[in-house]
Amino acid sequence: MKNLILIRHAKSSWEAPLKDIDRPLSKNGLQTAHKVSSYVSKYLPKTYLFWSSVAERASQTALIFAQNLSYPIESIIFKEDLYTFDEHQLTSVIKSCENHFDNVILFGHNGAITNFVNRFGDVFIENVPTSGFVSMQFDVNDWSSIEKGKTLKIIVPKNLK
């Protein structure tokens, strides 16, 4: 059994003229990342691996979740190939995970996340919002053979009041 949690980075700031990869979280994004990360602990497996895109906004989101979930920040794996908006590249990265890891929490970007969830999950989601959380389960023992899985939990930040 393989469990995958996809978290779209929190809302980013457009205030400074920066390259896309360097955009930080906005004030609202910081607040929302804290709110969602404080809520999700009951939906997480006992052990898991954190993977994050190297983009500043995804990295900051992963760090906030790590802090609030007591996950060691030095254990976060930052992957350049997760800085993608393409679900085919995202799928390739996920399928490359070592099989001794059964649970992965991945911080990434849209286009890729929404399309991946709709391709591999059993619940259609029009758009995974910023700070959105989608938990999926695959009845396989090998990451490279994931196909259609089960969508276990969807958390949309605007529904957390």
Side-chain angles (χ1 to χ4, degrees), residues 123-143:
V123 175
F124 178 79
I125 303 171
E126 188 170 326
N127 179 52
V128 176
T130 52
S131 296
F133 171 105
V134 180
S135 175
M136 303 176 75
Q137 189 170 69
F138 300 93
D139 192 16
V140 296
N141 293 317
D142 188 330
W143 283 105

Side-chain angles (χ1 to χ4, degrees), residues 31-121:
Q31 293 169 342
T32 306
H34 279 286
K35 183 190 297 185
V36 174
S37 63
S38 297
Y39 178 80
V40 299
S41 61
K42 59 188 163 213
Y43 301 107
L44 301 180
K46 287 187 189 251
T47 61
Y48 42 84
L49 181 68
F50 263 36
W51 278 1
S52 177
S53 159
V54 295
E56 184 64 20
R57 60 197 181 273
S59 299
Q60 285 183 305
T61 304
L63 289 167
I64 289 168
F65 272 74
Q67 172 189 345
N68 290 333
L69 297 170
S70 300
Y71 185 87
I73 59 171
E74 64 276 3
S75 296
I76 301 171
I77 299 170
F78 295 96
K79 296 179 149 289
E80 285 186 28
D81 45 359
L82 286 178
Y83 177 57
T84 184
F85 310 98
D86 177 75
E87 78 270 16
H88 300 293
Q89 183 173 334
L90 178 61
T91 300
S92 177
V93 175
I94 292 166
K95 286 187 172 196
S96 75
C97 186
E98 296 175 32
N99 287 320
H100 62 274
F101 296 111
D102 289 329
N103 307 302
V104 175
I105 300 176
L106 186 150
F107 298 85
H109 305 274
N110 220 18
I113 288 181
T114 296
N115 291 335
F116 180 92
V117 165
N118 287 329
R119 180 174 164 203
F120 288 93

